[in-house]
Amino acid sequence: MVNIIKSDIFRIKKGSAVRNVFLAGIIIIVITGVNMLGSSSGFGGVGVQSTASAARSLPGNGAEFVQQMRDDGLFPFFILAFAVAVLGAEYSTGTIRNSLSYFVDRRNVFFAKCVTGFLCCLTYTTLCLVVSFAAGTILFGFGGFTLTLIARILVQILLSTPLYIGMIAIGNGLLVFTKKTSITITTYLIGLIAFPSVTYQIYQLFPKAEWLTLCDPLSAFSMLSRFWEFPIMTVGMVLLFWVILDALLLFAGAQLYADADIA
């Protein structure tokens, strides 16, 4: 399993897919900061406006800019690129036959590719934080960076682990099922739009479980970016929802991969 992860990381380094995702993230953060600086209200960024960031104001310092970039719902969209980069290229180049022919359990191969995608997510998160810090400091000045802020960011990354794993598992599962990156991307994006409707319908059945309205990816990422402003029970239930969903997604994806046709 470790060797498969190393092999995938080596292949990713040689390719341009993940590098392009990193560059896109950097460009979006910089353009958003410049546009916000040029406006009097803080609006004008090109980031995805989530519930938490829809009413943001002009950052007073670099720390506030970093926090606002954490509020933006960009991650659910970019995570798909990591799944495509790790597994999708194998279908387009035909090297999927090699992966499925490994003398190891196919489920382990699938799990290894999910781990590789997860590591890409962590790398992307770190890069975005570094770029946000640099852009925020240059544009809005150094200030506001406290141990509390740093601790909250580290905890937020830790809490986001179930979402990273879940979104990667969804992307990989769709790729195994469709074998086409274009269909996977379309299905994935439609799913992001439809997910809130599904959780809302479930909420209608259990009106006391208001936390269900925060279980869709965009809302969950936004909530976790400011987890300290929400009740512990709400955060815990959303994370439990995603942990259970992760288990189901990984099981289904691994089974699909194990039964995949290499023809």
Side-chain angles (χ1 to χ4, degrees), residues 176-187:
V176 174
F177 181 74
T178 66
K179 299 181 175 63
K180 298 288 185 180
T181 56
S182 57
I183 298 177
T184 293
I185 293 172
T186 302
T187 306

Side-chain angles (χ1 to χ4, degrees), residues 190-203:
I190 292 176
L192 281 180
I193 297 173
F195 207 135
S197 298
V198 174
T199 54
Y200 182 77
Q201 292 303 317
I202 298 176
Y203 166 66

